[in-house]
Amino acid sequence: MDLVDPFGRTIRDLRISVTDRCNFRCTYCMPAEGMQWLPRSEVLTFEEIERLARIFVERYEVDGIRITGGEPTVRAHLPVLIEKLSDLRVPAGSRSPLAGSKPDLAITTNGATFRLVAHDLRAAGLDRVNISLDTLQRERFLQMTRRDELVRVLDGIEAAKEAGFAPVKVNAVIERGTNDDEVVDLARYGREHGVEVRFIEFMPLDAEGGWDRSKVFSQAEIVSTIDAVFPLEQVPSRGAAPADRWRYRDGGGLIGVIPTVTAPFCGDCDRVRLTADGQFRTCLFETREFDLRALLRNGASDDELAAEIERAVGTKWAGHQINQVNFIRPKRTMSQIGG
Ligand code: SAM
């Protein structure tokens, strides 16, 4: 059966954070020091994640799962989880194009150690990879991520291609005054390496409270900057996908823009999220969470878990409030929620 929210949106996409830990400290996400990690006992086990994912896929016909974090590749034995998720089946009678098959399985990673796991993740059934890369300049990479890992991330992107992931996408957060002068260079990198770059507007989910509207380099600015060098045409309708897409008029591939701040796509949002500690969220910017871990660990039946999931989805709001005066930042940062 479909899981439908009060605004008629059917939930199709589940984001699962497998850890709040990360080997980077990106300035727009985490503080340099002093992150308080979840104690291991509070993090869901693979069996717990699988049990919840099974309810979403097999009961509610959710046909896409994205694994994220923190940095998901720092979680040991990640291919074992991917294997478990690959065994799930979207019900045969579902309207999903994946009816009768496994859900689409994707990961968002910083890519630094991706070469070490790419092959095993692919063999376990992972379909797609997004690798984060905000700059092509080594010094700036060090400033933005607080790690000198540009070379390994670029190699991680090549490893993803070699392992057969297609498409490989690159996520680039653009912050005015930090890396907005690299939009064309990143676009050129995507064209030359056959990867789709998805430019992301800077969102108010950083740990240090440094976000303000003036630092948002908007979708309109991103597109016009690239278009001036590599002419673009918009690809019609993104449906529930978060990115608006453009293609190069010369056939050089595609770009995406995730315009969360200046052109929110909440009206088509089909996403829900599970944090590493088993809290269920219906929006990245929600302040309210539903504690599925407590239910799991207190012996709840699948019907009881499903009832709580439905109760939560019944509270999914029409859209986030970033552009309104009453916007309240979530207490948890992107890395703690799972981007
Ligand atoms: N560690 C993985 C990675 O780097 O891709 C996965 C988790 S990370 C939180 C997921 C995505 O969120 C990354 O593409 C990251 O750049 C993005 N992100 C983090 N903080 C953000 C912010 N304040 N605004 C926009 N995007 C952000």
Side-chain angles (χ1 to χ4, degrees):
M1 73 181 250
D2 282 341
L3 187 57
V4 183
D5 79 10
F7 301 93
R9 297 167 297 194
T10 302
I11 304 303
R12 290 271 176 246
D13 186 56
L14 173 65
R15 311 266 160 142
I16 300 176
S17 172
V18 293
T19 180
D20 61 326
R21 290 169 197 248
C22 191
N23 44 0
F24 283 16
R25 292 289 180 280
C26 300
T27 49
Y28 52 71
C29 189
M30 284 178 149
E33 309 276 346
M35 279 299 288
Q36 295 290 314
W37 308 123
L38 291 167
R40 286 196 194 279
S41 61
E42 290 186 14
V43 174
L44 293 189
T45 64
F46 285 170
E47 289 68 29
E48 289 169 329
I49 293 174
E50 180 197 8
R51 174 138 181 245
L52 292 174
R54 185 177 297 282
I55 293 173
F56 283 99
V57 174
E58 298 190 348
R59 186 179 287 231
Y60 294 125
E61 305 177 16
V62 163
D63 61 3
I65 297 179
R66 179 170 293 276
I67 301 299
T68 181
E71 172 47 42
T73 59
V74 305
R75 176 99 187 230
H77 312 300
L78 192 60
V80 173
L81 175 65
I82 300 298
E83 263 172 32
K84 289 179 188 295
L85 299 178
S86 291
D87 284 341
L88 304 179
R89 288 291 170 269
V90 180
S94 162
R95 277 180 285 128
S96 163
L98 296 178
S101 313
K102 74 172 189 58
D104 178 62
L105 299 177
I107 195 170
T108 304
T109 170
N110 64 32
T113 59
F114 201 69
R115 181 167 290 284
L116 304 178
V117 285
H119 179 78
D120 288 353
L121 289 174
R122 183 81 187 130
L126 187 70
D127 297 295
R128 295 185 301 116
V129 186
N130 285 34
I131 295 184
S132 300
L133 174 69
D134 309 316
T135 172
L136 295 162
Q137 300 174 18
R138 185 169 166 193
E139 265 308 303
R140 184 177 284 174
F141 190 97
L142 173 59
Q143 277 164 18
M144 288 186 78
T145 65
R146 302 186 176 105
R147 298 290 185 267
D148 188 10
E149 294 281 14
L150 174 62
V151 172
R152 283 215 298 165
V153 172
L154 294 175
D155 181 56
I157 294 170
E158 293 310 311
K161 291 197 293 189
E162 286 162 27
F165 292 105
V168 174
K169 295 184 183 174
V170 161
N171 286 357
V173 177
I174 305 298
E175 219 182 307
R176 190 187 308 283
T178 301
N179 62 342
D180 56 301
D181 58 343
E182 269 193 89
V183 164
V184 169
D185 290 345
L186 287 162
R188 185 179 293 109
Y189 169 86
R191 287 165 59 88
E192 289 174 355
H193 291 80
V195 295
E196 179 177 329
V197 182
R198 291 157 29 115
F199 296 92
I200 305 176
E201 288 182 350
F202 181 30
M203 303 176 210
L205 286 170
D206 56 311
E208 295 174 318
W211 183 90
D212 80 62
R213 194 163 296 275
S214 68
K215 293 187 184 156
V216 178
F217 196 71
S218 70
Q219 162 162 286
E221 292 171 295
I222 291 165
V223 172
S224 67
T225 306
I226 298 172
D227 181 63
V229 181
F230 301 118
L232 292 168
E233 62 187 355
Q234 188 156 14
V235 178
S237 169
R238 67 179 165 207
D244 283 325
R245 298 168 100 198
W246 282 261
R247 70 169 72 86
Y248 294 110
R249 288 181 187 271
D250 67 1
L254 291 163
I255 61 157
V257 182
I258 302 185
T260 311
V261 180
T262 68
F265 38 89
C266 307
D268 290 319
C269 178
D270 66 350
R271 276 172 289 287
V272 290
R273 292 167 192 274
L274 186 63
T275 65
D277 55 347
Q279 306 302 303
F280 183 55
R281 304 172 64 91
T282 57
C283 174
L284 201 46
F285 298 96
E286 249 301 354
T287 48
R288 186 167 170 193
E289 299 182 334
F290 292 77
D291 191 353
L292 296 183
R293 186 190 64 199
L295 287 174
L296 274 171
R297 295 188 180 175
N298 287 328
S301 65
D302 280 4
D303 284 346
E304 286 164 334
L305 288 164
E308 186 67 354
I309 290 166
E310 287 178 28
R311 192 166 79 85
V313 168
T315 69
K316 187 169 164 81
W317 52 21
H320 67 62
Q321 316 275 313
I322 297 177
N323 295 314
Q324 284 155 37
V325 282
N326 53 348
F327 174 64
I328 302 169
R329 286 175 61 115
K331 283 204 194 72
R332 303 222 251 182
T333 65
M334 189 74 122
S335 67
Q336 294 164 325
I337 296 167

